[in-house]
Amino acid sequence: MIVTESNVKRAFRYRFHPTEAQAAELSRTFGCVRKVYNLALAARTEAWARQERVNYNQTSALLTAWKKTEELAYLNEVSSVPLQQALRHLQTAFAHFFGKRAKYPRFKSRKRSRKSAEYTTSAFRFREGRLTLAKMSEPLDIIWSRPLPEGAEPSTVTISQDEAGRWFVSMLCEDTSVRPLPETDTAVGIDVGLDHLLTLSTGEKVSNPRHERRDRAALARAQRSLVRKAPGDGANRRKARRKVAKIHARIADRRRDGLHKLTTRLVRENQTLVIEDLSVRTMVKNRSLARAISDAAWSEFRSMLEYKAAWYGREVIAVDRFFPSSRLCSHCGKLAKSMPLRVRTLKCEGCGTTHDRDVNAAKNLKAAGLAVSVCGAGVRPQRRTPGGQSATKQKTPRRKP
Ligand SMILES: [Zn+2]
């Protein structure tokens, strides 16, 4: 994603209602996408065990061979583009793994994995606001909840179905209405927490969406009810599972709304945005529901912040998560010995200042990020400059605080 005046790409997501034939075709495609992804992952894993690397082109050749076998001939029945895209996604997953940004890619499961299929321009037709996918005769019945930008032409179309059974189409388009904002010299540090979603270095605390507490309680109830359903009780289990999925979807929708407003505001107001780099590895360890939801919110927040920063010519700096942001006095720089999570205020032994724990952490993040921004070294940061969806890591030596 490069920021010039004309080529900011932006995804527009809508619900749609497929016909019975379209739903069947898409479900078949999801299945084939999953199959191809898993076969390619198995092939790459076997190669990896022999200390060989298999690249995208080799998996693509494998796909051609698989299609010729009797067993996998059904792969020919769906559009080949989503299958190729699955191989590209796997390639990206491996690039993240080799770059130590993600865990080893996992197999897609029929029940748990997101159902989706990605179409590039050769596999769809978009004319006069009507989108027709390959292997389909009729256009999709899309609910245009907001208009596409004037003259927008999708370059990629992603179809997905969530666990609540809802269908979505996401269109990646150039959005000419996005322009870099005039530069400012304001910076903000953003700390992530559990009781508050975020705390800013300005002292502002952003709480979780208004309904989230109630939604979470409802979710916990629905999950308990699902667990109680006997394995033989198919229909009721399905119903209970659908209910859990619906509440999940509701939480996610409301959260996304809130995050969009918040990230737009933060990016408009600040030139430099400093966040903490929470690695995936530590995030998955704690499996409490609250934790899981706040982690999901955090990664969504971060990715929105990064792409909007890129649109508007702002900079997001991620500071190493080992940086002791909560133990350091933001006033005089003295480091406290320990700072257990339940202690909500920091009384500095050096200067006597009493800090709110989260605000202090946010202020420290801001200072660390600005130091990085100016001299390009310091706290082993990962700099993300506008244009960097590619998650490039800049390795700088870690300074002992
Ligand atoms: Zn102090």
Short mmCIF file of all heavy atoms in Angstrom, two decimals, residues 329 331-334 348 350-353 355, ligand 1:
data_model
loop_
_atom_site.label_atom_id
_atom_site.label_comp_id
_atom_site.label_asym_id
_atom_site.label_seq_id
_atom_site.Cartn_x
_atom_site.Cartn_y
_atom_site.Cartn_z
N CYS A 329 9.43 5.44 35.86
CA CYS A 329 8.77 6.71 36.16
C CYS A 329 8.87 7.62 34.94
O CYS A 329 9.97 7.91 34.46
CB CYS A 329 9.41 7.38 37.37
SG CYS A 329 8.83 9.07 37.65
N HIS A 331 8.33 10.62 34.78
CA HIS A 331 8.74 11.96 35.16
C HIS A 331 10.27 12.07 35.28
O HIS A 331 10.89 12.93 34.67
CB HIS A 331 8.06 12.35 36.48
CG HIS A 331 8.31 13.77 36.89
ND1 HIS A 331 7.82 14.85 36.17
CD2 HIS A 331 9.00 14.29 37.93
CE1 HIS A 331 8.19 15.96 36.76
NE2 HIS A 331 8.92 15.66 37.82
N CYS A 332 10.88 11.14 36.09
CA CYS A 332 12.32 11.26 36.31
C CYS A 332 13.13 10.09 35.74
O CYS A 332 14.35 10.13 35.72
CB CYS A 332 12.61 11.39 37.81
SG CYS A 332 12.35 9.85 38.72
N GLY A 333 12.44 9.04 35.28
CA GLY A 333 13.16 7.95 34.64
C GLY A 333 13.66 6.87 35.58
O GLY A 333 14.38 5.96 35.16
N LYS A 334 13.28 6.92 36.88
CA LYS A 334 13.73 5.88 37.79
C LYS A 334 12.89 4.61 37.57
O LYS A 334 11.68 4.68 37.38
CB LYS A 334 13.60 6.35 39.25
CG LYS A 334 14.24 5.37 40.22
CD LYS A 334 14.33 5.93 41.63
CE LYS A 334 14.75 4.88 42.64
NZ LYS A 334 16.08 4.31 42.39
N CYS A 348 6.72 6.91 42.69
CA CYS A 348 8.13 6.86 42.33
C CYS A 348 9.01 7.11 43.56
O CYS A 348 8.80 8.07 44.30
CB CYS A 348 8.42 7.89 41.25
SG CYS A 348 10.16 7.97 40.84
N GLY A 350 12.10 7.88 43.35
CA GLY A 350 13.07 8.91 42.98
C GLY A 350 12.53 10.31 43.21
O GLY A 350 13.10 11.09 43.97
N CYS A 351 11.39 10.63 42.57
CA CYS A 351 10.90 12.01 42.61
C CYS A 351 9.61 12.16 43.41
O CYS A 351 9.12 13.27 43.59
CB CYS A 351 10.73 12.55 41.20
SG CYS A 351 9.42 11.71 40.30
N GLY A 352 9.05 11.05 43.86
CA GLY A 352 7.86 11.13 44.70
C GLY A 352 6.55 11.29 43.94
O GLY A 352 5.49 11.37 44.55
N THR A 353 6.61 11.33 42.62
CA THR A 353 5.38 11.48 41.84
C THR A 353 4.53 10.21 41.92
O THR A 353 5.07 9.11 41.92
CB THR A 353 5.71 11.74 40.35
OG1 THR A 353 6.73 12.73 40.28
CG2 THR A 353 4.49 12.18 39.58
N HIS A 355 1.84 8.09 39.92
CA HIS A 355 1.31 7.96 38.57
C HIS A 355 0.18 6.95 38.53
O HIS A 355 0.22 5.95 39.23
CB HIS A 355 2.38 7.41 37.62
CG HIS A 355 3.61 8.25 37.48
ND1 HIS A 355 3.65 9.37 36.71
CD2 HIS A 355 4.85 8.10 38.02
CE1 HIS A 355 4.87 9.88 36.77
NE2 HIS A 355 5.61 9.14 37.56
ZN ZN B 1 10.16 9.71 39.37
#
